[in-house]
Amino acid sequence: ERFGPRGLQVLAPTRRYGSVPDVEHPSPEQEDREIERVWRTAYSGLGDTPHPVSDSMLLLYGVSSTPTIALVDRNGVTRLYRPARLSECELAGRIEELLKQEPKR
């Protein structure tokens, strides 16, 4: 809400981990339903943020833990890679820095 009007786009890819409470061998469909339940419960503040289930996206962005935060500038250059949490203050400051930069043409 705070940075979106200035150009921030958020993407929250995830993957199947083979785990669903009370299900020994969950099907992909069961796991997808669990991922959606967790998203709505734990990440409700992110609203309609795309959160595709995709192993290839995690590889593309180099995700090694949950959460992994990657900030990519307007030119497609990764400016922050952090396989850990950040405080809201630190993340906001890093986003501010990126949004002030002009895209290269």
Side-chain angles (χ1 to χ4, degrees):
E1 290 175 6
R2 182 168 153 195
F3 298 112
R6 294 177 46 208
L8 179 69
Q9 294 181 357
V10 177
L11 179 65
T14 190
R15 66 181 292 264
R16 293 184 187 103
Y17 291 92
S19 176
V20 172
D22 302 321
V23 178
E24 190 169 335
H25 300 288
S27 69
E29 294 79 17
Q30 288 172 310
E31 197 164 355
D32 289 349
R33 284 192 298 274
E34 177 64 8
I35 289 168
E36 286 303 313
R37 185 194 68 76
V38 169
W39 180 261
R40 285 189 313 275
T41 304
Y43 303 102
S44 61
L46 292 174
D48 294 333
T49 298
H51 52 280
V53 177
S54 171
D55 286 337
S56 61
M57 258 190 172
L58 294 183
L59 290 171
L60 174 69
Y61 289 102
V63 175
S64 61
S65 67
T66 302
T68 293
I69 297 171
L71 292 179
V72 181
D73 71 13
R74 296 173 195 264
N75 300 304
V77 176
T78 301
R79 298 296 180 175
L80 172 71
Y81 172 83
R82 181 75 56 88
R85 294 180 186 263
L86 289 173
S87 70
E88 181 180 349
C89 182
E90 183 179 357
L91 182 57
R94 299 302 282 279
I95 292 169
E96 279 288 348
E97 290 172 21
L98 289 180
L99 292 176
K100 288 177 185 175
Q101 294 176 359
E102 290 296 320
K104 293 180 182 172
R105 297 180 195 256

